[in-house]
């Protein structure tokens, strides 16, 4: 299995369980590993034979810009499902962090792995 990766993608979204978090967007940082075979794309040199990371980024910006999540775990499951079902990934690793949530802590987050 080959891996397409997207590191440190920052997107503003509504996320959190506290009232103050539900009123203003927060920046989350996503790092994605998307598993699939890239052999066809390597042979054809055609973007249609692989997952287009620009389309993934655009879709995530669109979806996270219009949705609200309580838990970061729910957001991670949403992203994993989107990659598996809408982009045809065979396996994904999704890392999502909220930035500067607590004094003295740079990032808090979750890493999940899912397979088709």
């Amino acid at each position: 299995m080959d891996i397409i990766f997207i590191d440190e993608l920052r997107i503003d979204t509504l996320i959190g369980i506290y009232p103050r978090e539900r009123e203003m967007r927060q920046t989350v940082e996503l790092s994605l590993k998307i598993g699939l075979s890239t052999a066809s794309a390597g042979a054809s040199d055609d973007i249609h034979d692989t997952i287009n990371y620009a389309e993934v980024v655009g879709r995530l910006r669109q979806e996270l810009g219009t949705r609200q999540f309580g838990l970061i775990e729910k957001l991670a499951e949403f992203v994993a499902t989107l990659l598996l079902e809408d982009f045809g990934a065979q396996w994904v690793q999704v890392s999502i962090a909220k930035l500067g949530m607590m004094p003295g802590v740079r990032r808090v987050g979750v890493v999940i792995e899912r397979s088709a």
Side-chain angles (χ1 to χ4, degrees):
M1 182 170 314
D2 306 318
I3 296 176
I4 293 172
F5 66 90
I6 299 169
D7 278 339
E8 298 180 12
L9 168 62
R10 292 188 175 188
I11 299 177
D12 292 338
T13 191
L14 288 172
I15 185 165
I17 58 172
Y18 300 109
R20 64 179 158 69
E21 294 178 305
R22 295 184 164 278
E23 295 175 7
M24 60 186 305
R25 296 188 175 283
Q26 297 179 63
T27 301
V28 293
E29 186 177 89
L30 295 86
S31 288
L32 310 172
K33 292 183 181 174
I34 307 167
L36 73 158
S37 174
T38 62
S40 293
S44 70
D45 202 23
D46 187 340
I47 191 67
H48 296 99
D49 290 334
T50 189
I51 293 176
N52 183 331
Y53 51 80
E55 288 182 10
V56 170
V57 169
R59 179 76 181 277
L60 288 172
R61 288 190 191 283
Q62 174 191 6
E63 295 287 347
L64 274 57
T66 60
R67 295 179 184 269
Q68 183 169 349
F69 301 90
L71 298 176
I72 202 164
E73 291 84 351
K74 178 68 175 180
L75 174 54
E77 291 290 346
F78 174 81
V79 171
T81 300
L82 183 108
L83 294 170
L84 293 168
E85 293 182 359
D86 292 4
F87 287 93
Q90 297 170 340
W91 169 88
V92 296
Q93 182 184 76
V94 176
S95 171
I96 301 181
K98 291 171 80 173
L99 309 175
M101 288 302 302
M102 294 178 275
V105 179
R106 193 176 75 161
R107 302 173 351 134
V108 297
V110 65
V111 178
I112 67 169
E113 293 184 19
R114 300 293 181 266
S115 298

